Amino acid sequence: MPAAPPLQSSDDRALVLFSGGQDSATCLAWALARYPHVETVGFRYGQRHAVELDCRAPLRDRMGSARLGPDHMVDLTATLSGLGQTAMTAEIEITTTEEGLPNTFVPGRNLLFLTCAAAIAWRRGLRRIVAGMCETDYSGYPDCRDDTIKAMQLALNLGLARRFVLETPLMWRDKAATWALAHDLGGDALVEVIREHSHTCYLGDRTHRHAWGYGCGTCPACELRAAGWTRWRASQS
Ligand code: ZN
């Protein structure tokens, strides 16, 4: 039997890269506020903080609306771990390399994520691909840069013969502004859902509860989240 033809791409159908972290949860809320049909995709890649994936369903349940469509899971564990380990995927101490890049950087990860997302979007007729990359307040990952995303959009559109729009609503927002965006989108209720149910800590710690949510409190991801929370709360008073 021939494969079913892909759905017609529609301008207002979106796919959100949804890891279960603060940024992607905010992106999901952002997309749900804009588009009448929103699907999500998550990636398993052997991350030490795979606990973040357990946060996806509770977040979707609490943020969901009639606009929320299916969730897709892609397992890239064999692919990425087969290429080598990093502090993101193995019990290696988190440090900064000589070139100033954290050793949590997984080479090619976000490029693969976007490629897989576009392959799903192609089949599902989703034109907008929404992702939480940010180069304002980040760890220096080159695959989070705006130029990288623009280049990926061009490559995917050429390679898949579509007009996908890669949207990164957090690109020019720091972590304080990301909390503020969540508040603008859903008020205290959404901030509380993200604070309680999203996961950021690289070490997968969900036993220590802080004002900003769960985490070890000392890894680079926790430090960014905590500093952003503190700045946002200070800006409110
Ligand atoms: Zn942490």
Side-chain angles (χ1 to χ4, degrees), residues 21 32 36 68:
L32 286 168
L68 188 58

Side-chain angles (χ1 to χ4, degrees), residues 104-121:
T104 45
F105 177 60
V106 181
R109 181 188 66 165
N110 286 348
L111 307 181
L112 268 175
F113 286 1
L114 289 167
T115 303
C116 292
I120 292 169

Side-chain angles (χ1 to χ4, degrees), residues 200-205 212 214-223:
T200 296
C201 175
Y202 282 157
L203 304 183
D205 185 330
W212 42 268
Y214 293 95
C216 71
T218 56
C219 77
C222 280
E223 285 181 350

Side-chain angles (χ1 to χ4, degrees), residues 15-97:
L15 177 65
V16 178
L17 276 69
F18 183 56
S19 67
Q22 176 193 352
D23 292 348
S24 68
T26 307
C27 285
L28 178 56
W30 182 89
L32 286 168
R34 265 166 189 71
Y35 305 121
H37 180 87
V38 178
E39 302 187 10
T40 52
V41 57
F43 299 95
R44 189 178 295 283
Y45 59 96
Q47 59 266 58
R48 286 164 77 177
H49 57 309
V51 65
E52 73 177 355
L53 299 175
D54 299 334
C55 296
R56 298 175 75 256
L59 277 168
R60 271 178 53 97
D61 288 346
R62 285 167 176 79
M63 296 170 58
S65 68
R67 297 179 162 199
L68 188 58
D71 182 38
H72 309 271
M73 268 311 284
V74 179
D75 193 340
L76 294 171
T77 308
T79 305
L80 278 171
S81 64
L83 296 173
Q85 294 294 356
T86 71
M88 192 74 99
T89 55
E91 298 288 324
I92 299 169
E93 189 185 352
I94 298 176
T95 58
T96 302
T97 66

